């Protein structure tokens, strides 16, 4: 089943986000390579493609897992969690309809 994972950045975490990004991306690439990633990306903190020093308000990942518990465990092990980038993470089932 698909699950949406939303991580919400804390204040002033852009330097920590940038430092943890290579490990974060490597985990997403592993999901992609396994055919389990629908989409992933950050949410700019301002209305612009490149938010610059404003940074990001969080990230969204939609990926396939065997169960909600597995999706939560994957989310809890994210390098952004370990680095203190995300102040909270929400995981819930997702049903793809389109495209």
């Amino acid at each position: 089943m698909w699950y949406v994972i939303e991580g919400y950045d804390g204040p002033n975490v852009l330097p920590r986000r940038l430092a943890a990004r290579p490990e974060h991306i490597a985990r997403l690439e592993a999901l992609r390579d396994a055919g389990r990633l629908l989409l992933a990306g950050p949410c700019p903190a301002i209305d612009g493609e490149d938010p610059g020093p404003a940074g990001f308000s969080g990230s969204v990942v939609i990926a396939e897992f065997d169960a909600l518990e597995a999706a939560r465990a994957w989310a809890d092990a994210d390098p952004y969690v370990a680095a203190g980038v995300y102040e909270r993470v929400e995981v819930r089932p997702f049903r793809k309809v389109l495209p």
Side-chain angles (χ1 to χ4, degrees):
M1 180 165 193
W2 294 106
Y3 294 89
V4 61
I5 300 167
E6 292 183 86
Y8 296 86
D9 286 22
N12 305 311
V13 295
L14 185 57
R16 286 185 266 167
R17 177 183 264 273
L18 296 174
R21 188 173 188 273
E23 289 178 79
H24 173 78
I25 295 295
R27 294 179 81 234
L28 293 170
E29 289 172 338
L31 283 177
R32 178 201 60 203
D33 294 348
R36 296 173 44 209
L37 183 65
L38 184 62
L39 67 85
C43 301
I46 61 172
D47 188 14
E49 185 71 24
D50 179 1
F56 301 90
S57 62
S59 303
V60 175
V61 174
I62 300 179
E64 188 175 34
F65 294 92
D66 291 334
L68 181 58
E69 296 78 21
R72 285 186 176 141
W74 187 90
D76 288 345
D78 194 288
Y80 284 173
V81 171
V85 174
Y86 294 154
E87 64 181 8
R88 81 179 196 279
V89 177
E90 295 180 8
V91 181
R92 61 189 184 278
F94 178 81
R95 194 177 99 192
K96 182 181 177 211
V97 175
L98 294 171

